[in-house]
């Protein structure tokens, strides 16, 4: 149960640069200890055990697989046995996922195939500066190529996200460039994209302007096809990808959102908490036209409620003239899934929703070399790239 006073106190502590104390307040709230904290001055008393930063194992291989009967709806998320009790709001102290613990260092072979390049660069505008890493495929000189913009989740880096999704390997097969903008700790202490701040949900403002600026800088410097540019992300990065699709529908031909939230799902810390726990109930502030969208979400995700996937895809599905097709399947030795496809009158897929049964908050089909991945599929990277390359700005009339 949310306690507004405690949420406000957590907000104050976060803004004051005291994330551990903020987390302790939220832990106490979730345990039902809703009484006013005894304070001395501005300090919030924290039990010694609570001073440790939250460490929550989110790798989906800790999830028991559950046989799922046929359904077009995602099964409501359940609390996972062994998951820390405040796992669903771990991101509140800056909306962070915990850093991977004990993970082996990445090798070049984990990140990109031989014969390709993965180079670093920087973009700066009035909103600030961001570094990024650009994957250049082995056959980059054969004419204009597609570009995929990949937005990492909290605590992740471009290398980690590239290794976990293996997007560079898939992109090399399809002759695509891939760019990974990096959120620095100076912008968010847990390296989360600030999807919940209204100033970072607008065109030509804040982080959207930086991500769009990086995209355009690469378009100027490399042979990029301007009609085949796409953006995807995980968790906070998925929410940021939704914002980019809503604010720059003239730049991105399609978007991919994994375990994320809709643009406008939150406007501050309390509303972000509510959206993550229960799904946004209020109006979604989409700023622009609808962009073809593919969504992946585990139906046991306790970090970002699966209902958020329905909110992301709510716009066009309200149009009775569109057709819906439902496909159910199972990855061999892996997860079952329900794939819901929305098609327009011309047969073009407007959206796909992959509900992965038994999966938690992790990139579906990813490599264990990276953090927050679930190797038991289905392969979100392959399916997103397939969906993206079926669309271009020329092939779709924006609604």
């Amino acid at each position: 149960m949310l306690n507004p006073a405690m949420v406000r106190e957590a907000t104050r502590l976060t803004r004051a640069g005291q994330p551990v104390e903020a987390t302790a307040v939220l832990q106490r709230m979730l345990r039902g200890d809703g009484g006013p904290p005894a304070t001395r001055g501005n300090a919030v008393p924290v039990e010694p055990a609570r001073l440790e930063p939250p460490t929550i194992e989110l790798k989906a291989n800790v999830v028991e697989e559950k046989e799922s009967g046929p359904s077009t709806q995602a099964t409501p998320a359940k609390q996972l046995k062994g998951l820390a009790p405040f796992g669903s709001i771990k991101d509140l102290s800056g909306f962070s996922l915990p850093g991977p613990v004990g993970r082996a260092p990445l090798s070049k072979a984990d990140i990109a195939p031989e014969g390709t390049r993965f180079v670093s660069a920087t973009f700066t505008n009035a909103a600030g500066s961001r570094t990024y890493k650009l994957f250049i495929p082995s056959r980059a000189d054969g004419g204009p190529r597609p570009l995929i913009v990949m937005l990492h989740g909290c605590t992740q880096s471009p290398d980690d996200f590239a290794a976990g999704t293996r997007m560079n390997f898939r992109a090399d097969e399809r002759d695509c460039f891939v760019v990974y903008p990096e959120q620095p700790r100076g912008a968010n202490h847990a390296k989360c994209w600030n999807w919940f701040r209204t100033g970072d949900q607008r065109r030509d403002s804040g982080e959207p302007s930086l991500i769009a600026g990086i995209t355009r800088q690469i378009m100027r410097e490399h042979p990029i096809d301007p009609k085949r540019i796409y953006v995807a992300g995980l968790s906070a990065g998925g929410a940021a990808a939704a914002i980019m699709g809503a604010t720059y529908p003239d730049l991105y031909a399609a978007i991919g959102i994994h375990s994320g939230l809709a643009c406008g799902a939150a406007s501050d810390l309390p509303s972000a908490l509510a959206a993550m726990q229960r799904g946004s109930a209020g109006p979604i502030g989409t700023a622009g036209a609808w962009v073809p969208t593919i969504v992946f979400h585990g139906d046991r995700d306790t970090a970002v409620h699966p209902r958020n996937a329905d909110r992301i895809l709510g716009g066009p599905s309200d149009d009775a003239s569109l057709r819906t097709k439902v496909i159910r399947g199972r990855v061999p030795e892996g997860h079952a899934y329900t794939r819901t496809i929305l098609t327009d009158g011309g047969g073009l897929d407007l959206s796909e929703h992959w509900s992965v049964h038994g999966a938690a908050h992790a990139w579906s089909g990813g490599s264990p070399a990276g953090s927050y991945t679930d190797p038991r599929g289905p392969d979100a990277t392959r399916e997103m790239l397939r969906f993206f390359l079926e669309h271009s700005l020329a092939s779709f009339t924006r609604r």
Side-chain angles (χ1 to χ4, degrees), residues 94-161:
F95 298 87
S96 64
L97 292 168
V101 177
R103 185 172 299 281
L106 294 171
S107 68
K108 292 182 180 179
D110 292 322
I111 299 171
E114 289 188 16
T116 63
R117 289 175 285 167
F118 199 41
V119 299
S120 299
T122 301
F123 172 79
T124 300
N125 69 7
S129 181
R130 293 292 185 276
T131 60
Y132 61 86
K133 297 196 75 170
L134 176 66
F135 171 76
I136 302 174
S138 55
R139 298 180 295 277
D141 299 329
R145 304 297 193 195
L147 171 65
I148 318 296
V149 181
M150 292 287 283
L151 303 175
H152 61 73
C154 300
T155 75
Q156 293 183 311
S157 67
D159 285 358
D160 181 12
F161 197 38

Side-chain angles (χ1 to χ4, degrees), residues 29-45:
M29 178 183 72
L30 287 186
R31 286 198 303 269
D33 181 9
T39 59
R40 289 175 293 187
N42 292 327
V44 175

Side-chain angles (χ1 to χ4, degrees), residues 56-189:
I56 305 162
E57 180 57 70
L58 290 177
K59 288 182 64 177
N61 56 13
V62 304
V63 179
E64 278 185 32
E65 185 175 354
K66 174 185 175 184
E67 293 290 342
S68 299
S71 172
T72 59
Q73 300 294 325
T75 302
K78 298 178 180 178
Q79 187 72 32
L80 299 179
K81 184 178 181 180
L83 198 64
F86 58 104
S88 61
I89 64 160
K90 60 194 173 304
D91 286 355
L92 272 181
S93 59
F95 298 87
S96 64
L97 292 168
V101 177
R103 185 172 299 281
L106 294 171
S107 68
K108 292 182 180 179
D110 292 322
I111 299 171
E114 289 188 16
T116 63
R117 289 175 285 167
F118 199 41
V119 299
S120 299
T122 301
F123 172 79
T124 300
N125 69 7
S129 181
R130 293 292 185 276
T131 60
Y132 61 86
K133 297 196 75 170
L134 176 66
F135 171 76
I136 302 174
S138 55
R139 298 180 295 277
D141 299 329
R145 304 297 193 195
L147 171 65
I148 318 296
V149 181
M150 292 287 283
L151 303 175
H152 61 73
C154 300
T155 75
Q156 293 183 311
S157 67
D159 285 358
D160 181 12
F161 197 38
T165 61
R166 292 185 69 79
M167 179 59 86
N168 292 344
F169 294 85
R170 300 296 185 207
D172 193 47
E173 296 170 358
R174 306 297 297 269
D175 298 337
C176 298
F177 286 75
V178 188
V179 63
Y180 301 82
E182 181 163 24
Q183 180 76 321
R185 293 195 184 280
N188 181 295
H189 86 277

Side-chain angles (χ1 to χ4, degrees), residues 196-252:
F196 49 89
R197 299 194 314 203
T198 56
D200 292 305
Q201 297 172 352
R202 301 172 185 149
R203 184 181 177 100
D204 299 330
S205 174
E207 291 167 7
S209 75
L210 289 163
I211 296 168
I214 289 170
T215 303
R216 290 171 173 146
Q217 179 164 289
I218 294 169
M219 293 170 69
R220 289 191 296 271
E221 297 176 352
H222 297 274
I224 301 300
D225 182 346
K227 295 192 179 300
R228 293 189 295 167
I229 300 173
Y230 314 95
V231 57
L234 169 66
S235 191
I243 291 170
M244 297 309 295
T247 54
Y248 291 89
D250 54 330
L251 184 59
Y252 300 104

